[in-house]
Amino acid sequence: MSSTAHSTGSVIAKGAFVNILGAAGKGLIPVYFILITRLYGPETMGLFYMIYVMVDMAVSLTVSGLNDGVVMFTSRFAVSEENESKVYDIIANGFVISLAISVLIIVFAYFGGPELILMKYPDKNVVNSVQSIVWSLPFVVIPVIVVSATKSHLTMKWDAILLGFLRSFALIIFSVLFYFTGTGLGGLIWAFNISAVVVTVCSLIVFGFYFDYGKLFKSVLSFRVSMPLVKFSIPQNLNMTFNTFITNVDVVMLGFFGVAPQIIAFYGMGSQIVRAIRQVKLAFSGSYSPVIARMYGQGDIEKMNFSFSMVSRWTTMISFPLALIVIMFRNELLRLFHPSFTSDTTFMLLLLAPPLLSCMVGMAGNIIVMTGNSLWNLINSMTIAVVNAYLNWLFIPHWGIMGAAVATLIASLLVSIMQLVEAYYLTGARLIPGKIYKPYLAMVIPVALMSVMGYYTYLEVPAVKIAAAALLVLVYAVTLAGLKFESEDRELFVKKGLFKRRSDENG
């Protein structure tokens, strides 16, 4: 491939390195859940986790599409200084529209929302907690728009710093402080809200590094709705909301069917552990998304296919050994959250499929969105949301948490297939088999060895299990090296990318 492709890959890799650091910060979220489960107990944790999931869906409804829209449109306009006013108009739209939706959701939480919640959860404590935590919504969405705006400069570090490390760190600190007040669930809510305010204040300072507040206020005062942004963002907002619903519907419906909060906490923390693997994909997609928008805008489909395969290979390459470690230590990882979490963890094996599929082929969804086809992603997510909810409704009464995991597995397979097919027919994007096969081939021997090891009880000895896991990862790494890295892997990860320090802004 040409040096231009290597240059593009270098931008993606350097941005991904920063995002991987951010993913490590977001990896503190499981630490946060471990901490609050230990401090507040599984029952309080189970109730809080249901509320946390509801807020997550509200955030998606508010800002997820605008997030992608701001990245896509500002990335296009930022190519030329002549379009500076358009950039500020897009950012102003991002702030105004997301804050307006936040206000509407807060109003709904007090008028109409309580009746809806009480239909599913008769505990009034849930209603009061939702009404308290919903005030954090404006402070959650402002940093998202700020980070999206900075990406127009192909600057990826603030996603890592603000939405990765700072948010997780603040949640941990304030949750510990409020534990000593003895306010229980209310303390967790206050900790969540204050953390959101802290991140917002820091993000507004960061915004001033890259943009002129005077020009932003001028765009706000002369506010006009950007119809291209709205037309893109509305279906994408709904799409991401449905995606979040798909991810969390199992937890919501476990509560609906009266499963004990302690069991919901057990299942929810298991899902949090496996979902951490998806951070690999998110680390790369954050830097890849604006590149997709530019490539497609220039009509260079061949280069887009090369980069699609390259980035998918990278995310697959990194996620596979992480999955091996999670499989080997899933029991120990869950007991980190609470000593009482000793039940069967087989459901985690099923829940591994969604994050792995996301790392393997999930960039197809980003291509659909960043080429302006967000309506198709909405159709996908609506379809899968209905299928997933129906399967959960069908399976949970009979098989409990295993039923919820099977429903999630089936839904993730369906959405991955739909995204691959649509990315090809809508944009011409496709994975190049010769560019992605090596990580899959390298996994054959470790998976076979792990299957054999499962029959031996001596693996329950911690030292033996650690040695076995290290052996599996080593076999994978050696096999991968034996298959020879692609030239762009060596140059981008060793010479230009992840393992060489850079002082430029993108690094």
Side-chain angles (χ1 to χ4, degrees):
M1 187 50 96
S2 68
S3 60
T4 306
H6 284 283
S7 176
T8 299
S10 185
V11 171
I12 298 169
K14 288 185 291 181
F17 175 54
V18 177
N19 287 339
I20 285 171
L21 295 178
K26 291 174 184 177
L28 289 174
I29 290 295
V31 175
Y32 162 66
F33 284 129
I34 290 171
L35 185 68
I36 64 177
T37 305
R38 290 273 181 166
L39 292 177
Y40 293 82
E43 187 171 355
T44 299
M45 173 58 203
L47 284 172
F48 176 74
Y49 190 65
M50 283 194 296
I51 295 161
Y52 180 91
V53 163
M54 293 177 191
V55 172
D56 199 20
M57 288 190 279
V59 171
S60 292
L61 181 61
T62 304
V63 77
S64 54
L66 288 165
N67 172 24
D68 290 329
V70 169
V71 171
M72 184 174 75
F73 286 105
T74 57
S75 294
R76 290 178 181 177
F77 295 146
V79 175
S80 170
E81 292 183 5
E82 299 172 2
N83 292 319
E84 184 183 59
S85 62
K86 293 181 180 178
V87 170
Y88 279 98
D89 287 342
I90 291 294
I91 296 171
N93 269 260
F95 280 122
V96 172
I97 296 173
S98 62
L99 289 173
I101 296 172
S102 299
V103 171
L104 290 175
I105 292 175
I106 292 172
V107 171
F108 178 72
Y110 285 85
F111 303 98
E115 290 76 12
L116 184 62
I117 295 171
L118 286 171
M119 286 173 60
K120 294 186 176 182
Y121 308 103
D123 187 351
K124 273 199 168 184
N125 205 19
V126 175
V127 174
N128 294 335
S129 298
V130 169
Q131 289 176 337
S132 298
I133 203 170
V134 77
W135 288 98
S136 68
L137 204 51
F139 301 100
V140 172
V141 302
I142 288 173
V144 174
I145 298 298
V146 169
V147 167
S148 299
T150 62
K151 287 181 179 179
S152 67
H153 294 268
L154 294 182
T155 302
M156 310 302 169
K157 65 184 179 182
W158 295 112
D159 194 353
I161 295 170
L162 294 173
L163 305 183
F165 278 108
L166 182 59
R167 177 174 179 265
S168 303
F169 183 72
L171 282 169
I172 290 171
I173 294 298
F174 287 111
S175 294
V176 171
L177 292 176
F178 274 97
Y179 168 72
F180 293 106
T181 67
T183 50
L185 182 60
L188 283 173
I189 304 296
W190 271 104
F192 187 93
N193 291 354
I194 294 174
S195 299
V197 173
V198 169
V199 176
T200 292
V201 170
C202 294
S203 70
L204 291 175
I205 294 172
V206 167
F207 186 83
F209 296 162
Y210 298 90
F211 299 96
D212 187 319
Y213 270 111
K215 294 177 181 177
L216 175 64
F217 292 144
K218 182 180 178 181
S219 292
V220 171
L221 291 174
S222 59
F223 180 78
R224 288 179 298 177
V225 174
S226 170
M227 292 311 297
L229 178 66
V230 170
K231 287 179 180 178
F232 171 87
S233 298
I234 288 177
Q236 181 61 1
N237 260 24
L238 293 173
N239 164 56
M240 294 304 294
T241 303
F242 280 114
N243 279 339
T244 306
F245 177 77
I246 291 166
T247 304
N248 296 302
V249 65
D250 45 3
V251 173
V252 173
M253 293 194 72
L254 284 170
F256 176 76
F257 283 109
V259 174
Q262 300 93 309
I263 301 299
I264 293 175
F266 174 69
Y267 178 87
M269 296 309 97
S271 68
Q272 282 290 323
I273 291 170
V274 297
R275 273 186 219 165
I277 294 173
R278 188 170 178 264
Q279 292 298 326
V280 175
K281 184 258 185 182
L282 297 179
F284 283 89
S285 64
S287 56
Y288 185 40
S289 289
V291 174
I292 296 169
R294 291 192 182 184
M295 284 181 179
Y296 189 74
Q298 295 164 0
D300 199 337
I301 305 303
E302 181 184 355
K303 189 191 296 183
M304 187 171 71
N305 286 341
F306 180 87
S307 64
F308 179 24
S309 302
M310 178 182 68
V311 176
S312 295
R313 182 177 68 252
W314 290 346
T315 53
T316 303
M317 192 185 299
I318 297 169
S319 64
F320 275 173
L322 295 178
L324 284 174
I325 294 170
V326 168
I327 292 170
M328 291 290 289
F329 294 99
R330 63 186 188 277
N331 295 321
E332 291 80 3
L333 288 170
L334 257 177
R335 282 196 288 272
L336 286 175
F337 288 88
H338 203 267
S340 64
F341 289 170
T342 56
S343 300
D344 184 14
T345 58
T346 304
F347 73 95
M348 290 178 66
L349 300 180
L350 302 177
L351 291 178
L352 266 172
L356 278 178
L357 284 168
S358 181
C359 291
M360 290 154 58
V361 300
M363 292 297 173
N366 294 83
I367 289 174
I368 293 171
V369 172
M370 299 311 292
T371 54
N373 294 290
S374 58
L375 183 59
W376 281 93
N377 257 9
L378 174 58
I379 293 170
N380 293 346
S381 56
M382 287 178 65
T383 303
I384 300 303
V386 171
V387 171
N388 200 7
Y390 174 72
L391 291 176
N392 273 281
W393 177 79
L394 201 63
F395 295 163
I396 289 175
H398 298 286
W399 299 298
I401 59 175
M402 279 298 292
V406 170
T408 301
L409 168 62
I410 294 172
S412 66
L413 285 170
L414 286 175
V415 76
S416 295
I417 293 169
M418 292 171 72
Q419 287 177 341
L420 282 171
V421 171
E422 289 163 3
Y424 176 72
Y425 282 104
L426 292 171
T427 71
R430 63 181 182 85
L431 289 168
I432 304 169
K435 293 292 182 182
I436 63 171
Y437 76 93
K438 291 180 181 178
Y440 297 91
L441 197 56
M443 275 295 289
V444 172
I445 297 175
V447 169
L449 286 174
M450 186 169 58
S451 300
V452 173
M453 289 176 180
Y455 291 101
Y456 296 95
T457 56
Y458 61 77
L459 275 179
E460 296 305 314
V461 179
V464 175
K465 182 174 282 192
I466 292 170
L471 174 64
L472 293 176
V473 173
L474 179 63
V475 169
Y476 170 78
V478 169
T479 306
L480 194 60
L483 292 170
K484 296 183 180 180
F485 291 105
E486 299 290 333
S487 60
E488 61 269 19
D489 298 346
R490 290 194 301 271
E491 291 189 20
L492 298 177
F493 282 88
V494 179
K495 296 179 183 178
K496 298 180 182 177
L498 297 185
F499 302 111
K500 183 175 181 179
R501 298 182 67 179
R502 293 288 211 123
S503 59
D504 64 292
E505 184 58 41
N506 292 335

